Amino acid sequence: MEPQYVSTPFGRRSMTLGMLANQESASKVDPDASVDKWKIFRALCEAKDRIGVSDRALAVLNALLTFYPKNEIAEVNGFVVFPSNAQLSLRTHGMAGTTLRRNLAMLVEAGLIIRRDSPNGKRFARRNGEGGLGEAYGFSLAPLLTRAGEIEAQAAQVVADRLEWKRLRERLTLCRRDIAKLIEIALVEEIAGEWTEMQKHFNLVIASLPRRPSAAEMENLLEDLEGFRALVVKTLETKTKTGKTDANDSQNGRHIHNSNPHLISELEPSFETKQGAKPAEEPQPRREPPKSFPLAMVLQACPEIVAYGPGGGISSWRDLMSAAVIVRSTLGVSPSAYQEACDVMGPENAASVIACILERGGHINSAGGYLRDLTRRAERGEFSLGPMLMALLRANGPMARNTG
């Protein structure tokens, strides 16, 4: 049985409050509790950085465990091991005495072992009348039992963090590959767009990633890159659809050239009245509103609109659309102009355009006229939100922070 009392260190080694707390905690041992010494040691190896011990200190602890007579650390088996420094040096493959003492002190400070020093500082044990061990002086392994749950939880968290890091790394690798190959095919096929600029910024963003990034760093970069990938994909889809539409119109002979397309809507009513033509009476169906870009990308490109959201923040598309209504009024955009933009572009894209106009407010003379012009161009398939967002991302988004 290990005596339940405070043990102060021998010689010039001083007592600390941490050592006192560790001894008090170790004294509260459940008599029926036990832990496999090698299982808890493996958990310690996983959680060593969180516990605050080095590889060398764990090598010393491993040597101490080899002197424990049983596999199960339990009160019935005693807690104290008492090898000499010479024996410990042999079992740590010839570790020098000064290094051995330093790592023993580290184990004590980390609260993994407790010194049970004899009056003269020697390590030994006395036999009791029944032939078993009585009082023993050396190092108590009781903290490994009392802290087993904590150590195993720390080890499990380390394993979970490592798996999460690996998962993020895989997602980041796939995202990087997707962007690189999509930009490459756009350049090879000579698809219209700012592909060279996109490639430059993509390379700068990747170059900013540390050699061994943390999970938080990868998560932040992954959010930026996934938004960037969505922009690349959407731009490619828009250009592909536009190309197919132009090809079909050319084949079917329906392409109409007009040097002033803005006057079509003004001329059509008088033409209908005079000619009474049926095609004019049946308006052409509008294009399907394009899909919206990721909300995170819009907010990165247009941070000013966040202040107009409910409670001074935007966390959903509903919040952005509410903010756009307020900004629309502030910019002097009429309700009818904004409603028409919503009908043509879709409410999410219309709100995104309002956010872009707010961001570029100093460069736009008439926000209402500018929005109506963009709406007419979108209705004809001549306007895409992607390039506008890309330009603002270069000025305000993560790419600007990385290049700066």
Side-chain angles (χ1 to χ4, degrees):
M1 276 298 221
E2 184 177 342
Q4 303 299 319
Y5 55 75
V6 174
S7 175
T8 57
F10 171 78
R12 291 180 296 176
R13 290 192 296 266
S14 59
M15 185 71 175
T16 66
L17 290 176
M19 291 167 61
L20 183 63
N22 290 335
Q23 290 186 31
E24 181 185 3
S25 175
S27 68
K28 301 172 182 176
V29 178
D30 182 353
D32 300 323
S34 65
V35 66
D36 185 289
K37 63 181 182 181
W38 299 121
K39 180 181 177 183
I40 197 66
F41 180 73
R42 286 193 294 272
L44 270 171
C45 291
E46 289 283 4
K48 63 183 177 65
D49 293 331
R50 288 173 175 257
I51 301 295
V53 289
S54 65
D55 297 340
R56 284 291 188 89
L58 287 175
V60 174
L61 180 60
N62 179 77
L64 286 173
L65 289 173
T66 62
F67 286 98
Y68 192 76
K70 304 288 185 179
N71 275 336
E72 294 291 322
I73 299 176
E75 187 175 38
V76 68
N77 299 325
F79 293 121
V80 178
V81 291
F82 39 89
S84 66
N85 280 358
Q87 290 173 312
L88 280 174
S89 179
L90 286 173
R91 296 205 186 181
T92 53
H93 308 288
M95 185 179 289
T98 53
T99 305
L100 184 66
R101 288 190 291 273
R102 184 170 63 250
N103 286 291
L104 283 169
M106 181 182 289
L107 292 171
V108 172
E109 289 177 19
L112 298 176
I113 61 174
I114 294 174
R115 292 185 187 274
R116 295 296 187 198
D117 286 350
S118 66
N120 62 2
K122 301 295 183 181
R123 300 173 198 150
F124 63 91
R126 290 194 180 95
R127 298 285 174 179
N128 57 25
E130 300 174 354
L133 290 179
E135 285 189 329
Y137 298 99
F139 298 103
S140 171
L141 303 177
L144 295 180
L145 177 57
T146 57
R147 296 182 62 187
E150 172 203 341
I151 293 169
E152 288 173 350
Q154 295 268 32
Q157 186 60 51
V158 168
V159 172
D161 289 346
R162 185 163 59 242
L163 290 175
E164 176 65 9
W165 188 91
K166 184 179 179 182
R167 185 185 67 84
L168 288 171
R169 185 77 178 184
E170 288 171 351
R171 285 179 58 195
L172 189 60
T173 300
L174 290 174
C175 194
R176 289 171 60 179
R177 186 180 71 191
D178 292 345
I179 294 172
K181 288 186 178 292
L182 289 171
I183 292 178
E184 180 184 7
I185 192 63
L187 291 171
V188 170
E189 297 291 335
E190 298 183 349
I191 298 174
E194 301 178 347
W195 301 110
T196 304
E197 287 296 317
M198 288 184 180
Q199 189 175 51
K200 288 179 182 178
H201 286 293
F202 172 63
N203 292 336
L204 286 172
V205 172
I206 296 304
S208 69
L209 190 66
R211 183 179 295 273
R212 179 75 182 182
S214 65
E217 288 173 327
M218 282 197 294
E219 200 162 3
N220 290 335
L221 182 61
L222 188 59
E223 182 180 356
D224 294 340
L225 286 180
E226 285 180 341
F228 187 49
R229 179 175 60 186
L231 174 62
V232 172
V233 170
K234 192 170 184 66
T235 305
L236 278 173
E237 288 177 347
T238 302
K239 298 297 182 183
T240 303
K241 289 178 181 177
T242 302
K244 287 181 179 179
T245 302
D246 292 345
N248 290 338
D249 289 348
S250 176
Q251 290 172 3
N252 295 329
R254 292 198 303 266
H255 181 71
I256 301 173
H257 175 75
N258 192 319
S259 60
N260 194 353
H262 294 279
L263 296 178
I264 292 177
S265 60
E266 298 173 6
L267 293 174
E268 277 181 349
S270 58
F271 182 79
E272 290 174 18
T273 304
K274 292 180 180 179
Q275 303 295 330
K278 287 184 179 180
E281 294 173 1
E282 298 176 0
Q284 295 295 322
R286 286 183 172 176
R287 293 173 179 264
E288 190 72 21
K291 294 180 180 179
S292 59
F293 287 86
L295 177 62
M297 183 193 300
V298 175
L299 297 181
Q300 285 171 3
C302 311
E304 286 190 20
I305 199 169
V306 174
Y308 294 87
I314 292 176
S315 59
S316 65
W317 280 111
R318 183 180 294 275
D319 292 346
L320 180 64
M321 288 186 278
S322 299
V325 172
I326 298 173
V327 172
R328 187 269 310 160
S329 176
T330 303
L331 294 174
V333 176
S334 66
S336 60
Y338 183 59
Q339 183 59 51
E340 187 179 358
C342 290
D343 293 341
V344 173
M345 304 180 192
E348 292 87 356
N349 282 333
S352 301
V353 170
I354 289 292
C356 293
I357 293 175
L358 175 66
E359 204 69 32
R360 299 181 57 196
H363 305 282
I364 298 172
N365 294 327
S366 172
Y370 184 62
L371 179 62
R372 286 189 183 277
D373 180 62
L374 292 181
T375 302
R376 284 193 289 267
R377 289 168 56 193
E379 196 167 19
R380 297 193 301 268
E382 298 173 359
F383 168 70
S384 173
L385 183 58
M388 182 182 288
L389 279 178
M390 186 64 195
L392 290 172
L393 272 173
R394 286 200 296 270
N396 302 325
M399 298 175 196
R401 293 197 298 272
N402 289 324
T403 55

Short mmCIF file of all heavy atoms in Angstrom, two decimals, residues 174-206 225 227-236 390 399:
data_model
loop_
_atom_site.label_atom_id
_atom_site.label_comp_id
_atom_site.label_asym_id
_atom_site.label_seq_id
_atom_site.Cartn_x
_atom_site.Cartn_y
_atom_site.Cartn_z
N LEU A 174 -7.87 18.66 -53.94
CA LEU A 174 -8.86 18.50 -55.02
C LEU A 174 -9.29 19.85 -55.57
O LEU A 174 -9.43 20.02 -56.79
CB LEU A 174 -10.07 17.73 -54.49
CG LEU A 174 -9.85 16.25 -54.18
CD1 LEU A 174 -11.09 15.66 -53.53
CD2 LEU A 174 -9.50 15.47 -55.45
N CYS A 175 -9.50 20.82 -54.67
CA CYS A 175 -9.94 22.15 -55.10
C CYS A 175 -8.85 22.82 -55.94
O CYS A 175 -9.15 23.42 -56.98
CB CYS A 175 -10.28 23.00 -53.87
SG CYS A 175 -11.18 24.51 -54.26
N ARG A 176 -7.61 22.70 -55.50
CA ARG A 176 -6.49 23.28 -56.27
C ARG A 176 -6.41 22.63 -57.65
O ARG A 176 -6.20 23.32 -58.66
CB ARG A 176 -5.17 23.07 -55.52
CG ARG A 176 -5.01 23.90 -54.29
CD ARG A 176 -3.80 23.49 -53.47
NE ARG A 176 -2.57 23.62 -54.23
CZ ARG A 176 -1.36 23.35 -53.73
NH1 ARG A 176 -1.25 22.92 -52.49
NH2 ARG A 176 -0.29 23.50 -54.47
N ARG A 177 -6.56 21.31 -57.71
CA ARG A 177 -6.48 20.61 -58.98
C ARG A 177 -7.61 21.06 -59.91
O ARG A 177 -7.38 21.29 -61.11
CB ARG A 177 -6.56 19.10 -58.74
CG ARG A 177 -6.36 18.27 -60.00
CD ARG A 177 -6.46 16.79 -59.68
NE ARG A 177 -7.83 16.40 -59.37
CZ ARG A 177 -8.17 15.22 -58.84
NH1 ARG A 177 -7.23 14.35 -58.55
NH2 ARG A 177 -9.42 14.93 -58.61
N ASP A 178 -8.83 21.17 -59.36
CA ASP A 178 -9.98 21.58 -60.18
C ASP A 178 -9.74 22.95 -60.79
O ASP A 178 -9.95 23.15 -61.99
CB ASP A 178 -11.25 21.61 -59.32
CG ASP A 178 -11.68 20.22 -58.88
OD1 ASP A 178 -11.18 19.24 -59.45
OD2 ASP A 178 -12.51 20.12 -57.96
N ILE A 179 -9.32 23.91 -59.96
CA ILE A 179 -9.13 25.28 -60.45
C ILE A 179 -8.04 25.33 -61.51
O ILE A 179 -8.21 25.96 -62.57
CB ILE A 179 -8.79 26.23 -59.28
CG1 ILE A 179 -9.99 26.35 -58.33
CG2 ILE A 179 -8.40 27.61 -59.79
CD1 ILE A 179 -9.70 27.10 -57.05
N ALA A 180 -6.92 24.66 -61.24
CA ALA A 180 -5.80 24.68 -62.18
C ALA A 180 -6.22 24.11 -63.54
O ALA A 180 -5.90 24.68 -64.60
CB ALA A 180 -4.62 23.90 -61.61
N LYS A 181 -6.94 22.99 -63.54
CA LYS A 181 -7.31 22.35 -64.81
C LYS A 181 -8.42 23.12 -65.53
O LYS A 181 -8.44 23.17 -66.77
CB LYS A 181 -7.74 20.91 -64.55
CG LYS A 181 -6.56 19.99 -64.18
CD LYS A 181 -6.97 18.55 -64.08
CE LYS A 181 -5.75 17.67 -63.77
NZ LYS A 181 -4.81 17.62 -64.89
N LEU A 182 -9.34 23.73 -64.77
CA LEU A 182 -10.41 24.51 -65.42
C LEU A 182 -9.84 25.76 -66.08
O LEU A 182 -10.24 26.12 -67.20
CB LEU A 182 -11.47 24.88 -64.38
CG LEU A 182 -12.36 23.74 -63.88
CD1 LEU A 182 -13.20 24.19 -62.70
CD2 LEU A 182 -13.24 23.22 -65.00
N ILE A 183 -8.91 26.44 -65.39
CA ILE A 183 -8.29 27.61 -66.00
C ILE A 183 -7.45 27.20 -67.21
O ILE A 183 -7.43 27.88 -68.24
CB ILE A 183 -7.43 28.36 -64.96
CG1 ILE A 183 -8.33 28.98 -63.88
CG2 ILE A 183 -6.60 29.45 -65.63
CD1 ILE A 183 -7.58 29.68 -62.78
N GLU A 184 -6.79 26.06 -67.10
CA GLU A 184 -5.96 25.57 -68.20
C GLU A 184 -6.80 25.31 -69.45
O GLU A 184 -6.42 25.71 -70.56
CB GLU A 184 -5.23 24.29 -67.78
CG GLU A 184 -4.33 23.71 -68.87
CD GLU A 184 -3.70 22.39 -68.45
OE1 GLU A 184 -4.05 21.87 -67.38
OE2 GLU A 184 -2.87 21.88 -69.21
N ILE A 185 -7.96 24.66 -69.29
CA ILE A 185 -8.79 24.36 -70.46
C ILE A 185 -9.36 25.65 -71.06
O ILE A 185 -9.49 25.78 -72.28
CB ILE A 185 -9.93 23.37 -70.10
CG1 ILE A 185 -10.60 22.85 -71.36
CG2 ILE A 185 -10.95 24.00 -69.18
CD1 ILE A 185 -9.73 22.06 -72.27
N ALA A 186 -9.64 26.64 -70.18
CA ALA A 186 -10.14 27.92 -70.69
C ALA A 186 -9.07 28.62 -71.53
O ALA A 186 -9.37 29.23 -72.56
CB ALA A 186 -10.57 28.81 -69.52
N LEU A 187 -7.82 28.54 -71.09
CA LEU A 187 -6.73 29.16 -71.84
C LEU A 187 -6.45 28.41 -73.14
O LEU A 187 -6.22 29.02 -74.19
CB LEU A 187 -5.46 29.21 -70.98
CG LEU A 187 -5.50 30.17 -69.78
CD1 LEU A 187 -4.29 29.95 -68.88
CD2 LEU A 187 -5.55 31.61 -70.24
N VAL A 188 -6.48 27.07 -73.07
CA VAL A 188 -6.21 26.26 -74.26
C VAL A 188 -7.29 26.47 -75.32
O VAL A 188 -7.00 26.62 -76.52
CB VAL A 188 -6.11 24.76 -73.89
CG1 VAL A 188 -6.08 23.90 -75.13
CG2 VAL A 188 -4.85 24.52 -73.06
N GLU A 189 -8.56 26.51 -74.87
CA GLU A 189 -9.68 26.68 -75.81
C GLU A 189 -9.90 28.14 -76.19
O GLU A 189 -10.80 28.45 -76.96
CB GLU A 189 -10.96 26.12 -75.18
CG GLU A 189 -10.92 24.62 -74.91
CD GLU A 189 -10.91 23.81 -76.18
OE1 GLU A 189 -11.39 24.32 -77.21
OE2 GLU A 189 -10.41 22.67 -76.16
N GLU A 190 -9.10 29.05 -75.58
CA GLU A 190 -9.19 30.49 -75.85
C GLU A 190 -10.61 31.01 -75.61
O GLU A 190 -11.17 31.75 -76.42
CB GLU A 190 -8.74 30.79 -77.28
CG GLU A 190 -7.29 30.43 -77.53
CD GLU A 190 -6.83 30.79 -78.93
OE1 GLU A 190 -7.70 31.13 -79.77
OE2 GLU A 190 -5.62 30.75 -79.19
N ILE A 191 -11.18 30.60 -74.47
CA ILE A 191 -12.50 31.09 -74.08
C ILE A 191 -12.36 32.51 -73.55
O ILE A 191 -11.45 32.80 -72.77
CB ILE A 191 -13.11 30.16 -73.01
CG1 ILE A 191 -13.29 28.75 -73.59
CG2 ILE A 191 -14.44 30.70 -72.50
CD1 ILE A 191 -13.74 27.72 -72.59
N ALA A 192 -13.26 33.39 -73.96
CA ALA A 192 -13.18 34.79 -73.55
C ALA A 192 -13.32 34.91 -72.04
O ALA A 192 -14.13 34.23 -71.41
CB ALA A 192 -14.28 35.60 -74.25
N GLY A 193 -12.52 35.74 -71.42
CA GLY A 193 -12.57 35.94 -69.98
C GLY A 193 -11.21 36.35 -69.44
O GLY A 193 -10.20 36.34 -70.16
N GLU A 194 -11.19 36.71 -68.16
CA GLU A 194 -9.94 37.18 -67.53
C GLU A 194 -9.16 35.99 -66.97
O GLU A 194 -8.80 35.95 -65.79
CB GLU A 194 -10.28 38.18 -66.41
CG GLU A 194 -11.03 39.39 -66.92
CD GLU A 194 -11.41 40.35 -65.79
OE1 GLU A 194 -11.30 39.95 -64.61
OE2 GLU A 194 -11.77 41.49 -66.10
N TRP A 195 -8.88 35.01 -67.81
CA TRP A 195 -8.28 33.77 -67.33
C TRP A 195 -6.83 33.94 -66.91
O TRP A 195 -6.38 33.31 -65.94
CB TRP A 195 -8.39 32.70 -68.42
CG TRP A 195 -9.81 32.44 -68.81
CD1 TRP A 195 -10.41 32.75 -69.98
CD2 TRP A 195 -10.81 31.84 -67.98
NE1 TRP A 195 -11.74 32.39 -69.96
CE2 TRP A 195 -12.01 31.82 -68.73
CE3 TRP A 195 -10.82 31.33 -66.69
CZ2 TRP A 195 -13.20 31.31 -68.25
CZ3 TRP A 195 -12.00 30.80 -66.19
CH2 TRP A 195 -13.18 30.80 -66.96
N THR A 196 -6.09 34.78 -67.61
CA THR A 196 -4.69 35.00 -67.22
C THR A 196 -4.61 35.65 -65.86
O THR A 196 -3.78 35.27 -65.01
CB THR A 196 -3.97 35.87 -68.27
OG1 THR A 196 -4.08 35.25 -69.56
CG2 THR A 196 -2.51 36.04 -67.91
N GLU A 197 -5.48 36.64 -65.62
CA GLU A 197 -5.51 37.29 -64.30
C GLU A 197 -5.92 36.30 -63.22
O GLU A 197 -5.36 36.29 -62.12
CB GLU A 197 -6.49 38.47 -64.33
CG GLU A 197 -5.99 39.68 -65.09
CD GLU A 197 -4.75 40.28 -64.46
OE1 GLU A 197 -4.74 40.41 -63.23
OE2 GLU A 197 -3.81 40.60 -65.18
N MET A 198 -6.92 35.48 -63.52
CA MET A 198 -7.35 34.48 -62.55
C MET A 198 -6.21 33.52 -62.19
O MET A 198 -6.02 33.16 -61.03
CB MET A 198 -8.54 33.69 -63.11
CG MET A 198 -9.84 34.45 -63.17
SD MET A 198 -11.19 33.37 -63.74
CE MET A 198 -12.58 34.51 -63.72
N GLN A 199 -5.46 33.12 -63.22
CA GLN A 199 -4.36 32.19 -62.98
C GLN A 199 -3.28 32.84 -62.12
O GLN A 199 -2.73 32.20 -61.21
CB GLN A 199 -3.77 31.75 -64.32
CG GLN A 199 -2.76 30.62 -64.20
CD GLN A 199 -2.30 30.13 -65.55
OE1 GLN A 199 -1.89 30.92 -66.40
NE2 GLN A 199 -2.35 28.82 -65.78
N LYS A 200 -2.98 34.10 -62.35
CA LYS A 200 -1.98 34.81 -61.55
C LYS A 200 -2.39 34.88 -60.09
O LYS A 200 -1.60 34.60 -59.18
CB LYS A 200 -1.75 36.22 -62.10
CG LYS A 200 -0.99 36.26 -63.42
CD LYS A 200 -0.84 37.70 -63.88
CE LYS A 200 -0.11 37.76 -65.22
NZ LYS A 200 0.00 39.18 -65.71
N HIS A 201 -3.63 35.25 -59.85
CA HIS A 201 -4.12 35.36 -58.48
C HIS A 201 -4.20 34.00 -57.80
O HIS A 201 -3.89 33.88 -56.61
CB HIS A 201 -5.49 36.06 -58.46
CG HIS A 201 -5.41 37.53 -58.72
ND1 HIS A 201 -4.82 38.41 -57.84
CD2 HIS A 201 -5.85 38.28 -59.75
CE1 HIS A 201 -4.88 39.64 -58.33
NE2 HIS A 201 -5.51 39.58 -59.48
N PHE A 202 -4.58 33.00 -58.56
CA PHE A 202 -4.62 31.65 -58.01
C PHE A 202 -3.23 31.20 -57.56
O PHE A 202 -3.05 30.66 -56.47
CB PHE A 202 -5.17 30.69 -59.07
CG PHE A 202 -5.08 29.23 -58.69
CD1 PHE A 202 -5.76 28.73 -57.60
CD2 PHE A 202 -4.29 28.36 -59.43
CE1 PHE A 202 -5.68 27.39 -57.25
CE2 PHE A 202 -4.21 27.02 -59.10
CZ PHE A 202 -4.90 26.54 -58.00
N ASN A 203 -2.22 31.49 -58.38
CA ASN A 203 -0.84 31.13 -58.01
C ASN A 203 -0.38 31.88 -56.78
O ASN A 203 0.34 31.33 -55.93
CB ASN A 203 0.10 31.40 -59.20
CG ASN A 203 -0.16 30.47 -60.37
OD1 ASN A 203 -0.69 29.38 -60.20
ND2 ASN A 203 0.21 30.90 -61.57
N LEU A 204 -0.77 33.15 -56.67
CA LEU A 204 -0.38 33.94 -55.49
C LEU A 204 -1.02 33.40 -54.22
O LEU A 204 -0.39 33.34 -53.16
CB LEU A 204 -0.76 35.41 -55.70
CG LEU A 204 0.10 36.21 -56.67
CD1 LEU A 204 -0.53 37.58 -56.93
CD2 LEU A 204 1.52 36.40 -56.12
N VAL A 205 -2.30 33.02 -54.33
CA VAL A 205 -2.99 32.48 -53.16
C VAL A 205 -2.34 31.18 -52.70
O VAL A 205 -2.11 30.97 -51.50
CB VAL A 205 -4.49 32.26 -53.47
CG1 VAL A 205 -5.17 31.51 -52.34
CG2 VAL A 205 -5.18 33.60 -53.69
N ILE A 206 -2.03 30.30 -53.63
CA ILE A 206 -1.41 29.02 -53.29
C ILE A 206 -0.02 29.23 -52.70
O ILE A 206 0.38 28.55 -51.75
CB ILE A 206 -1.33 28.10 -54.53
CG1 ILE A 206 -2.75 27.76 -55.01
CG2 ILE A 206 -0.56 26.84 -54.22
CD1 ILE A 206 -3.63 27.12 -53.96
N LEU A 225 -10.88 29.36 -51.79
CA LEU A 225 -10.67 28.65 -53.05
C LEU A 225 -11.95 28.02 -53.59
O LEU A 225 -12.16 27.96 -54.80
CB LEU A 225 -9.59 27.57 -52.88
CG LEU A 225 -8.15 28.06 -52.77
CD1 LEU A 225 -7.20 26.89 -52.61
CD2 LEU A 225 -7.75 28.89 -53.98
N GLY A 227 -14.94 29.24 -53.20
CA GLY A 227 -15.66 30.35 -53.82
C GLY A 227 -15.06 30.72 -55.17
O GLY A 227 -15.77 30.99 -56.14
N PHE A 228 -13.72 30.70 -55.24
CA PHE A 228 -13.03 31.00 -56.48
C PHE A 228 -13.34 29.95 -57.54
O PHE A 228 -13.55 30.26 -58.72
CB PHE A 228 -11.53 31.08 -56.20
CG PHE A 228 -10.70 31.55 -57.38
CD1 PHE A 228 -11.05 32.68 -58.08
CD2 PHE A 228 -9.57 30.86 -57.77
CE1 PHE A 228 -10.30 33.12 -59.15
CE2 PHE A 228 -8.80 31.29 -58.84
CZ PHE A 228 -9.16 32.43 -59.53
N ARG A 229 -13.38 28.67 -57.11
CA ARG A 229 -13.71 27.59 -58.06
C ARG A 229 -15.13 27.78 -58.59
O ARG A 229 -15.37 27.57 -59.80
CB ARG A 229 -13.59 26.24 -57.37
CG ARG A 229 -13.94 25.06 -58.27
CD ARG A 229 -13.70 23.74 -57.58
NE ARG A 229 -14.48 23.59 -56.36
CZ ARG A 229 -14.36 22.57 -55.51
NH1 ARG A 229 -13.48 21.62 -55.75
NH2 ARG A 229 -15.10 22.52 -54.42
N ALA A 230 -16.07 28.18 -57.71
CA ALA A 230 -17.44 28.40 -58.16
C ALA A 230 -17.50 29.51 -59.20
O ALA A 230 -18.24 29.44 -60.18
CB ALA A 230 -18.33 28.74 -56.96
N LEU A 231 -16.67 30.55 -58.99
CA LEU A 231 -16.62 31.64 -59.96
C LEU A 231 -16.08 31.16 -61.31
O LEU A 231 -16.64 31.49 -62.36
CB LEU A 231 -15.73 32.76 -59.41
CG LEU A 231 -15.44 33.93 -60.35
CD1 LEU A 231 -16.72 34.64 -60.73
CD2 LEU A 231 -14.45 34.90 -59.71
N VAL A 232 -15.03 30.35 -61.28
CA VAL A 232 -14.45 29.82 -62.52
C VAL A 232 -15.46 28.95 -63.26
O VAL A 232 -15.66 29.08 -64.47
CB VAL A 232 -13.16 29.02 -62.21
CG1 VAL A 232 -12.67 28.30 -63.46
CG2 VAL A 232 -12.08 29.93 -61.68
N VAL A 233 -16.13 28.05 -62.51
CA VAL A 233 -17.11 27.15 -63.12
C VAL A 233 -18.26 27.94 -63.72
O VAL A 233 -18.70 27.68 -64.85
CB VAL A 233 -17.63 26.13 -62.08
CG1 VAL A 233 -18.81 25.35 -62.63
CG2 VAL A 233 -16.52 25.17 -61.68
N LYS A 234 -18.74 28.93 -62.96
CA LYS A 234 -19.89 29.71 -63.44
C LYS A 234 -19.52 30.51 -64.69
O LYS A 234 -20.31 30.62 -65.63
CB LYS A 234 -20.37 30.64 -62.33
CG LYS A 234 -21.72 31.28 -62.62
CD LYS A 234 -22.25 31.97 -61.39
CE LYS A 234 -23.63 32.55 -61.64
NZ LYS A 234 -24.63 31.50 -61.87
N THR A 235 -18.31 31.06 -64.70
CA THR A 235 -17.87 31.81 -65.88
C THR A 235 -17.77 30.91 -67.09
O THR A 235 -18.19 31.26 -68.20
CB THR A 235 -16.50 32.47 -65.60
OG1 THR A 235 -16.59 33.26 -64.42
CG2 THR A 235 -16.09 33.35 -66.76
N LEU A 236 -17.22 29.70 -66.90
CA LEU A 236 -17.13 28.74 -68.00
C LEU A 236 -18.51 28.35 -68.51
O LEU A 236 -18.75 28.27 -69.72
CB LEU A 236 -16.36 27.50 -67.55
CG LEU A 236 -14.83 27.56 -67.56
CD1 LEU A 236 -14.25 26.31 -66.93
CD2 LEU A 236 -14.31 27.74 -68.98
N MET A 390 -15.37 39.34 -59.71
CA MET A 390 -13.93 39.07 -59.78
C MET A 390 -13.13 40.34 -59.60
O MET A 390 -12.12 40.37 -58.88
CB MET A 390 -13.61 38.42 -61.14
CG MET A 390 -12.18 37.98 -61.28
SD MET A 390 -11.75 36.68 -60.12
CE MET A 390 -9.96 36.75 -60.25
N MET A 399 -7.69 37.58 -52.14
CA MET A 399 -6.57 37.70 -53.06
C MET A 399 -5.83 39.00 -52.83
O MET A 399 -4.61 39.09 -52.88
CB MET A 399 -7.06 37.61 -54.49
CG MET A 399 -7.71 36.27 -54.82
SD MET A 399 -8.39 36.29 -56.45
CE MET A 399 -9.48 34.88 -56.37
#
